Amino acid sequence: MARRKKIYEGKAKILYEGPEPGTIVQYFKDDATAFNAQKHDVIEGKGVLNNLLSEFFMTGLGNVGVPTHFIKRMNMREQMVRACEIVPLEIIVRNYAAGSLAKRLGLDEGGQLPRPIVEYCLKDDALGDPLVSEEHIAAFGWASQQDMDDILSLALRVNDFLSGVLFGVGIRLADFKIEVGRVYDGDFQRLILADEISPDSCRLWDIETGQKLDKDVFRRDLGSLTDAYTEVARRLGVLPRGGATPMAKPTLIN
Ligand code: TMP
């Protein structure tokens, strides 16, 4: 097969030029990083699980009318997505106190917030993705006021959908991060959901036990990340037939 052109390599994904104009292939790597890549490991099977889970969430969101970049899954590690101009913001929606919010405001992790809180971080690894306000976003022109209105309503729709779907399988959506991209249809431009939605970019807690089923398992050394992601995938019914372990090695039978 002809070698594809690599467009970008990030911490967890590689982007290749897609097979058709205006498309991109997202390849999900097994690399796990935390604390701006100060902590790194390769977790066999993580890429496959995130590819399947992101497909599941993006397809579901598309079905309820949320515009996304997802076109189709190509194989166990790759999906075809619509090319877009990524808005340089990480949009975080929080339902429960956790992570950097809990730390910043001295909150106990696990408490329900009075209402969903939306935060914005500048997408800039060199700066460690700093929290920014809408004032910064407007003043530096990272997004327009119309964009910010659209981003807020998109983020809250994604929150409602994901919270409901996950609640149905006994999982609390504590918080998550999304990215959006700009696409052009003739003279019009609009924003669509881009990047990925997976346990790498969400905090997922078992409703009964509080067990963490997301990347905090890796960040905080709480056990097997593959087991946690597999549990999410199993509950949502997205694992391929016959397997709780999509990348399981063949077992010898004596
Ligand atoms: P935080 O509490 O560390 O700010 O994270 C909030 C949410 O955003 C959490 O669900 C994890 C996700 N997240 C990312 O997807 N990428 C990142 O680089 C960081 C820091 C957080």
Side-chain angles (χ1 to χ4, degrees):
M1 194 178 85
R3 218 178 130 71
R4 291 178 302 188
K5 189 170 163 216
K6 191 196 276 191
I7 299 172
Y8 175 80
E9 178 156 4
K11 287 177 286 212
K13 294 189 292 296
I14 306 176
L15 303 184
Y16 295 99
E17 220 165 56
E20 292 150 36
T23 66
I24 284 181
V25 174
Q26 282 198 150
Y27 174 98
F28 287 76
K29 303 196 285 187
D30 280 341
D31 297 62
T33 65
F35 315 118
N36 209 4
Q38 289 175 57
K39 180 171 176 159
H40 173 257
D41 205 351
V42 176
I43 310 224
E44 199 183 326
K46 182 180 83 99
V48 171
L49 287 159
N50 280 355
N51 185 25
L52 295 171
L53 282 163
S54 201
E55 173 193 20
F56 175 81
F57 291 127
M58 292 280 182
T59 306
L61 283 160
N63 286 341
V64 297
V66 175
T68 84
H69 72 160
F70 183 81
I71 300 173
K72 65 170 184 183
R73 184 164 62 78
M74 303 174 76
N75 54 52
M76 293 302 271
R77 282 196 182 269
E78 295 176 322
Q79 48 184 247
M80 196 200 295
V81 299
R82 183 164 177 189
C84 57
E85 276 172 22
I86 294 288
V87 173
L89 297 173
E90 301 209 333
I91 300 131
I92 295 170
V93 183
R94 302 181 183 271
N95 300 306
Y96 288 81
S100 67
L101 176 78
K103 201 168 162 195
R104 200 181 322 127
L105 301 185
L107 303 172
D108 288 335
E109 196 162 83
Q112 187 168 15
L113 298 169
R115 55 173 225 194
I117 295 176
V118 182
E119 296 178 339
Y120 306 98
C121 293
L122 179 65
K123 238 178 101 61
D124 187 327
D125 280 344
L127 298 176
D129 298 338
L131 186 70
V132 290
S133 71
E134 290 190 59
E135 271 292 288
H136 297 123
I137 296 169
F140 293 111
W142 297 318
S144 68
Q145 188 53 55
Q146 179 64 56
D147 290 339
M148 292 312 289
D149 293 348
D150 293 348
I151 286 173
L152 181 62
S153 74
L154 189 86
L156 294 175
R157 287 177 78 191
V158 172
N159 187 40
D160 284 347
F161 177 82
L162 293 181
S163 294
V165 167
L166 289 161
F167 187 82
V169 295
I171 295 173
R172 180 154 285 149
L173 178 64
D175 59 30
F176 64 94
K177 184 263 308 185
I178 53 169
E179 296 183 22
V180 299
R182 229 179 272 291
V183 290
Y184 297 88
D185 294 319
D187 285 343
F188 294 100
Q189 61 120 5
R190 60 194 176 95
L191 296 175
I192 62 175
L193 184 62
D195 191 52
E196 70 178 272
I197 296 181
S198 75
D200 268 14
S201 54
C202 300
R203 281 200 174 89
L204 307 172
W205 300 337
D206 181 83
I207 287 175
E208 295 283 314
T209 65
Q211 188 192 354
K212 295 189 195 313
L213 298 170
D214 57 67
K215 204 164 85 172
D216 272 348
V217 171
F218 169 73
R219 293 188 189 98
R220 304 177 189 188
D221 295 319
L222 300 176
S224 161
L225 194 71
T226 318
D227 286 356
Y229 288 22
T230 301
E231 176 63 15
V232 176
R234 191 190 61 74
R235 289 195 200 183
L236 293 169
V238 306
L239 284 177
R241 225 163 7 108
T245 48
M247 294 298 284
K249 294 196 175 74
T251 326
L252 286 176
I253 299 169
N254 294 317

